[in-house]
Amino acid sequence: MPRPTISRRCALGTALTLPMACKTFRNPSPPKRLLVLGGTRLLGPPIVRTALAAGWNVTLFNRGKSGAGLFPELERRIGDRNELDYASLETGEWDAVIDTSAYVPEHVRVVAELLSDRVQHYNIVSTVSVYGEQENPSAPLTEDAPLGTATPEQIADTTKIQQVTGQTYGPLKALCEAEMRKAFGSRCCTVRPGLIVGPEDSSERFTWWPARVARGGELLAPGGPTGDGSQQTQLIDVEDLGRWIFELTARQVEGTYNALGYPTPLSMRTLLKTCQEVAGNDSRITWVPDEFLLEQDVGQWMELPLWIAGGGTMFSLERALQQGLTFLPIEETVRRTLDWHLQANGPEHPFQRTGIAGEKESKVLAAWHAHQAAGKTSR
């Protein structure tokens, strides 16, 4: 097809016909379109904010019950995954979908099949809990490690999100991943986070530590096998995760990625020292070895958050780093979390789901000091 031309007169008045290279008339490319399944709790808002900042049009699909005041300008499709109610998604096309609320395989199967011809790329938020028993638990788990399995009875008995248990959570997430891949083939991405932390984290597992340190006084801390707090912990800031998930989706990256870190190992000692620096008070950390904590019937992970006797499983971050995952400084995560907690709940907020009770903490600390004194006396 010949290029459009314009006429320009030279000095002699002769009309010259020149290629219209100095100016082009093109319609701007329409914005990319993102469908977010969920989108109003913890991880959803950072994903949505990042997409909007990048100029994407965003559609939210959920029940319309949580986060009703969030993103009022966005298109919403109402439905209930528990009821396999995806009628509102029977029309429309999107460049990508990010699934933040995939817990039941059948929920994923139905929506993935419904969208497979109208969506280019599917990104599912899974979990590192998908991994099963390992032959070498001391080595960091890569994305190729064996996955846990659910029995046919467990699968049949889990038709609603509320029926997912701690035992079935990981294996069912693995099956959700598989249903996505069946429908989308290679046009998909799996992100496996660990502990997601930051403002709006209702699990209380990370928030308990900045809040407890901010209250001051002597606090019981998990010393690990060596009793000095050198054991590692892995977590990821919700802002880092949300931003990176969108970036993977925008680039239509394929594959499976663990998503928790940091590139430099984070010890419990560093974490709690950082909490002290942010709080700026006179709190006193007393490190107690795993063996003694177990003798005192201190519960792992939830009663004393982030603590697993022996250190727990670690996960490889190599693939995620290669795909551009970056991290805010841990100081920033602690500060944002503490500020949010104090504003939302106040300094004396009683944690309902996590954290050792004050009376028990005092008893364990007293027992530890007595144990140490007895050891010095015997010497």
Side-chain angles (χ1 to χ4, degrees):
M1 179 177 178
R3 297 173 66 182
T5 60
I6 59 174
S7 293
R8 178 180 295 174
R9 292 192 175 273
C10 68
L12 297 177
T14 304
L16 301 178
T17 301
L18 303 175
M20 194 173 175
C22 58
K23 186 174 183 180
T24 58
F25 298 91
R26 296 177 182 174
N27 292 325
S29 300
K32 295 284 189 177
R33 299 153 299 174
L34 176 66
L35 171 64
V36 179
L37 306 183
T40 57
R41 292 185 178 180
L42 188 59
L43 181 57
I47 291 174
V48 173
R49 288 195 297 268
T50 306
L52 293 175
W56 283 49
N57 285 340
V58 180
T59 301
L60 302 180
F61 171 86
N62 50 53
R63 296 182 301 166
K65 295 184 177 181
S66 63
L70 286 174
F71 312 116
E73 75 280 13
L74 298 186
E75 177 188 9
R76 290 177 182 259
R77 304 285 183 96
I78 302 300
D80 190 343
R81 304 192 81 162
N82 278 335
E83 305 301 328
L84 297 180
D85 175 15
Y86 294 116
S88 65
L89 296 179
E90 290 179 354
T91 60
E93 295 183 358
W94 294 270
D95 295 280
V97 56
I98 298 177
D99 192 342
T100 70
S101 58
Y103 297 93
V104 179
E106 183 71 357
H107 295 183
V108 177
R109 182 190 67 79
V110 174
V111 75
E113 290 179 354
L114 178 66
L115 296 174
S116 61
D117 293 333
R118 295 180 287 117
V119 172
Q120 296 178 19
H121 185 80
Y122 198 121
N123 192 326
I124 196 169
V125 181
S126 185
T127 171
V128 292
S129 296
V130 297
Y131 299 111
E133 294 294 327
Q134 308 298 319
E135 293 183 2
N136 183 12
S138 62
L141 293 188
T142 71
E143 291 83 350
D144 299 321
L147 305 182
T149 58
T151 66
E153 292 76 18
Q154 288 173 327
I155 298 171
D157 291 342
T158 309
T159 60
K160 300 182 185 299
I161 295 173
Q162 294 86 346
Q163 295 169 337
V164 177
T165 67
Q167 183 181 7
T168 61
Y169 171 65
L172 291 177
K173 278 281 197 179
L175 292 173
C176 288
E177 296 177 11
E179 293 294 349
M180 173 191 66
R181 286 190 291 271
K182 287 179 185 177
F184 276 78
S186 63
R187 298 180 294 124
C188 59
C189 180
T190 300
V191 175
R192 294 173 177 166
L195 180 61
I196 305 173
V197 306
E200 306 296 337
D201 173 20
S202 62
S203 77
E204 301 182 347
R205 291 168 295 187
F206 175 81
T207 307
W208 192 82
W209 284 114
R212 174 63 189 88
V213 172
R215 290 205 308 271
E218 183 182 17
L219 60 108
L220 178 68
T226 57
D228 61 358
S230 60
Q231 78 276 15
Q232 297 179 31
T233 186
Q234 286 185 304
L235 48 88
I236 187 165
D237 190 302
V238 66
E239 291 293 332
D240 293 330
L241 181 61
R243 180 182 63 253
W244 185 63
I245 286 175
F246 171 74
E247 290 171 355
L248 290 176
T249 305
R251 292 188 284 127
Q252 296 193 358
V253 172
E254 301 170 0
T256 300
Y257 304 91
N258 292 336
L260 70 170
Y262 295 74
T264 301
L266 175 68
S267 69
M268 285 298 298
R269 176 175 290 277
T270 298
L271 173 59
L272 296 196
K273 289 293 185 181
T274 301
C275 290
Q276 282 184 313
E277 293 169 1
V278 171
N281 62 12
D282 60 353
S283 58
R284 306 183 308 280
I285 300 174
T286 298
W287 298 99
V288 178
D290 289 353
E291 182 179 5
F292 191 84
L293 292 175
L294 294 173
E295 290 174 357
Q296 298 295 312
D297 294 322
V298 177
Q300 302 177 53
W301 191 246
M302 296 300 282
E303 186 174 35
L304 204 58
L306 310 191
W307 170 56
I308 297 178
T313 302
M314 306 304 289
F315 302 90
S316 171
L317 192 61
E318 183 176 353
R319 288 189 189 176
L321 293 176
Q322 292 174 349
Q323 286 294 345
L325 177 59
T326 59
F327 300 88
L328 291 167
I330 186 61
E331 295 86 353
E332 180 67 17
T333 299
V334 169
R335 182 174 291 105
R336 289 171 43 252
T337 302
L338 180 60
D339 289 347
W340 164 76
H341 167 73
L342 294 177
Q343 182 176 1
N345 304 306
E348 301 302 323
H349 170 71
F351 282 74
Q352 303 296 324
R353 304 178 64 182
T354 63
I356 188 169
E359 183 178 356
K360 184 174 181 179
E361 182 184 29
S362 298
K363 287 182 178 180
V364 175
L365 286 168
W368 173 243
H369 292 313
H371 174 79
Q372 288 184 304
K376 292 178 181 179
T377 302
S378 65
R379 291 197 295 269

